[in-house]
Amino acid sequence: QLPLQESGPGLVRPSETLSLTCTVSDGSISSSSFYWGWIRQAPGEKLEWIGTLFFGGSTYFNPSLKSRLSMSVDTSKKQLSLTLRSVTASDTAVYYCARLMYDASGYNWPEIWGQGTAVTVSS
Amino acid sequence: AVWMTQSPSSFSASVGDRVNINCRAGQFVSHYLAWYQQRPGRAPKLLVFGASTLQSGVPSRFGGSGSGTNFTLTIDHLQSEDFATYYCQQYYTYPPTFGQGTRVEVK
């Protein structure tokens, strides 16, 4: 069983809302030892940081996506959720969730990544 | 956002080679630099964080060095399973940013 597993619709129409979930197979989603992140990679492009979920529920969103983005965690379901509104073709990408380690100063980096889920925005 | 540039973008190597992959940050990122390996169809795998700290379970033939703006990932005695794409990432400032990737191919 993969530690992190993303799931999503595969195909979304332009202007609609993209909803993704990431299922965490162990109990680490409830741990204060980790943060959680979403990252995406469009075809032929660099990996792009989408946002970070900190322990306690606060978030950081990439300014390029902030106005359209929501992220949440449901510890009872062991799931992370990402919602991206008003999608366009430029949102076509493989979307990854990741568990983040952090150091004593709070600097954090992805320790474990999911396999990714491909999303195409097209009519 | 901090621009990250990797060089080369791709190259060919043979099993047993020592290879270096370079990563340059557009501004100071201290030692807050990670390296990842990605094989086709697989999740990225953390190799190095803090510029030089090897992630638990990663073979010792992998090593990271550098600080400030210039970093290097070195693979000693390249193995067949090491043919993959490698990414650097800075996490000193938000948003975290990645290099474009370096693909290591079989010669």
Side-chain angles (χ1 to χ4, degrees), chain A residues 99 101 109-112, chain B residues 35 45-49 52-60 62:
Chain A
R99 189 174 82 181
M101 292 288 293
W109 63 95
E111 176 206 25
I112 296 176
Chain B
W35 288 97
K45 174 186 175 182
L46 175 65
L47 299 175
V48 171
F49 61 93
S52 60
T53 302
L54 204 63
Q55 171 70 351
S56 176
V58 173
S60 58
F62 290 92

Side-chain angles (χ1 to χ4, degrees), chain A residues 13-68:
Chain A
R13 298 190 186 282
S15 78
E16 294 188 343
T17 295
L18 168 65
S19 296
L20 300 175
T21 60
C22 172
T23 300
V24 181
S25 62
D26 61 18
S28 60
I29 198 167
S30 301
S31 172
S32 61
S33 298
F34 306 106
Y35 302 152
W36 302 90
W38 287 93
I39 301 142
R40 70 180 183 178
Q41 186 169 34
E45 300 292 331
K46 290 185 175 184
L47 290 156
E48 178 184 28
W49 198 271
I50 298 172
T52 306
L53 271 162
F54 300 97
F55 186 77
S58 61
T59 54
Y60 163 84
F61 295 155
N62 190 317
S64 67
L65 299 167
K66 187 175 183 178
S67 64
R68 302 189 289 130

Side-chain angles (χ1 to χ4, degrees), chain B residues 38-105:
Chain B
Q38 187 175 31
R39 299 190 184 102
R42 303 279 294 273
K45 174 186 175 182
L46 175 65
L47 299 175
V48 171
F49 61 93
S52 60
T53 302
L54 204 63
Q55 171 70 351
S56 176
V58 173
S60 58
R61 64 180 179 273
F62 290 92
S65 62
S67 67
T69 60
N70 289 295
F71 304 88
T72 301
L73 176 71
T74 299
I75 311 173
D76 277 326
H77 304 293
L78 196 70
Q79 300 299 299
S80 57
E81 61 266 31
D82 300 336
F83 292 101
T85 300
Y86 295 84
Y87 296 95
C88 63
Q89 179 226 343
Q90 68 80 21
Y91 52 96
Y92 181 62
T93 64
Y94 276 93
T97 47
F98 295 84
Q100 81 279 13
T102 295
R103 184 175 177 181
V104 181
E105 301 173 324

